[in-house]
Amino acid sequence: MKNTALSEVHVKAGAKMVPFAGYNMPVQYAGINAEHETVRKGVGVFDVSHMGEFILKGDKALDLIQRVTSNDASKLYDGKVQYSCLPNTTGGIVDDLLVYRIDEQTYMLVVNASNIEKDWNWISQYNTEGVVMKDISDRTSLLAVQGPKAAEALQSLTDIDLASMEYYTFKKGTFAGIDNVVVSATGYTGAGGFELYFDNEHAEAIWNAVFKAGEPFGIKPIGTGARDTLRLEMGFCLYGNDIDDTTSPLEAGLGWVTKFNKEFTNSVALAGQKAAGVSQKLVGFEMIDRGIPRHDYEIVDTEGNNIGKVTSGTQSPSLQKAIGMGYVKTEFAKEGTEIYVKIRDNSIKAKIVKPPFYK
């Protein structure tokens, strides 16, 4: 089990630590609901240093990215971030990721912790033009400072104007007296905020500085438990739950990051799938009757016929109701359609809704 540079800090702060994607991670401190509320209404800090970071550099770096990702990275400019995915050759997804354009010949890819080695090997096999690739995951720490008070809480630590930063842009500068920190207006909560990338050696100093600066704003440490409830309220996909090697980006509602104005891995087959229409779709649903949907629970129609399965589900702390995501046959995917989730052999009524659940 790997540790992040801050694992001991979390233990001292009273975090409950659990294995996650091969790392020892804090799942909660004060409790998932309280931490969820902190991020929705104030500001909280996640240690997400388990995520992977690759640097791609050279004349052909963009060509390689265009070849392996579904989105159109030629639209990026210096300081811009793009959400994308790595399609496989059989219709599924190797991973979803962020693409950062540092300059014309330098990009950073941010990938899921559980897929670091898989993604590296996948991209490497397409690197036939000598792009310099560096895996900086093990030496890079990443904090996500999320919530409506994030800009105010962090502003005293940097001369980057945080409030004016557009969503999905980043700047590199001095933060908490440390040079070369990447400050990115991104996150996985739907609550606004920033992600901070820096070398491991600065992790504790930056963590302490963030908490000191954020103290007047009620800043708190947040675990992976609340990260999951926050992202689910926004209808954001989690790799391994809602998308994987068997789910197509078109089935998963990721057509908006699947651009057919260029060739990429499996693009011909995916274009064919788009033209023919998909047989199943990832949908959001709210429970009408009492019950909490969980990953892999069966979804059935009024007659009890199997029509799909739950991929993510929880009791939403913000909405005080049970919500979920799952794949259903396309004819059941229309908003307002009643479906049933099998919970302990009982068919519990739900209805299809359009994410985000929390608006």
Side-chain angles (χ1 to χ4, degrees), residues 29-60:
Y29 301 81
I32 291 171
N33 287 0
E35 291 168 31
H36 182 108
E37 182 95 340
T38 294
V39 175
R40 279 275 176 258
K41 296 189 173 168
V43 57
V45 185
F46 302 81
D47 175 13
V48 281
S49 305
H50 62 313
M51 299 291 281
E53 295 86 14
F54 306 153
I55 300 293
L56 272 56
K57 199 172 176 68
D59 289 350
K60 300 290 184 179

Side-chain angles (χ1 to χ4, degrees), residues 86-289:
L86 300 169
N88 64 23
T89 53
T90 52
I93 300 169
V94 177
D95 202 4
D96 62 335
L97 74 162
L98 295 180
V99 181
Y100 284 65
R101 174 166 148 155
I102 295 165
D103 61 46
E104 198 177 350
Q105 296 194 4
T106 315
Y107 295 80
M108 179 169 74
L109 308 184
V110 182
V111 303
N112 284 299
S114 55
N115 292 334
I116 292 171
E117 188 180 355
K118 180 174 88 160
D119 292 358
W120 178 267
N121 293 339
W122 182 263
I123 297 164
S124 296
Q125 72 177 326
Y126 291 96
N127 184 16
T128 55
E129 300 281 343
V131 175
V132 175
M133 291 175 57
K134 280 185 191 167
D135 180 356
I136 60 166
S137 309
D138 283 345
R139 63 178 175 86
T140 304
S141 287
L142 171 57
L143 297 183
V145 185
Q146 298 283 291
K149 295 181 183 174
E152 286 178 283
L154 296 180
Q155 189 57 73
S156 65
L157 297 173
T158 183
D159 54 8
I160 296 168
D161 183 4
L162 299 177
S164 70
M165 280 183 72
E166 291 177 18
Y167 192 43
Y168 268 65
T169 64
F170 71 95
K171 289 186 176 168
K172 196 184 265 197
T174 302
F175 185 91
I178 309 293
D179 290 333
N180 290 319
V181 175
V182 170
V183 180
S184 174
T186 49
Y188 194 48
T189 64
F194 303 88
E195 292 183 300
L196 312 170
Y197 298 83
F198 47 86
D199 287 341
N200 287 345
E201 63 191 276
H202 305 304
E204 208 160 328
I206 288 180
W207 175 272
N208 291 336
V210 164
F211 277 90
K212 191 174 179 188
E215 201 175 335
F217 304 93
I219 201 165
K220 296 268 173 30
I222 314 292
T224 57
R227 188 167 182 252
D228 195 49
T229 56
L230 288 156
R231 71 92 194 165
L232 184 47
E233 285 185 348
M234 300 311 296
F236 294 155
C237 290
L238 174 64
Y239 194 89
N241 279 44
D242 313 298
I243 51 176
D244 59 32
D245 288 299
T246 69
T247 56
S248 136
L250 303 177
E251 293 171 340
L254 298 177
W256 62 283
V257 299
T258 309
K259 302 293 170 62
F260 295 109
N261 60 339
K262 59 160 197 164
E263 276 188 38
F264 58 86
T265 319
N266 211 40
S267 57
V268 174
L270 288 170
Q273 186 183 57
K274 185 182 181 182
V278 294
S279 60
Q280 62 170 4
K281 281 187 177 176
L282 183 64
V283 295
F285 60 87
E286 286 179 356
M287 300 304 294
I288 296 171
D289 294 336

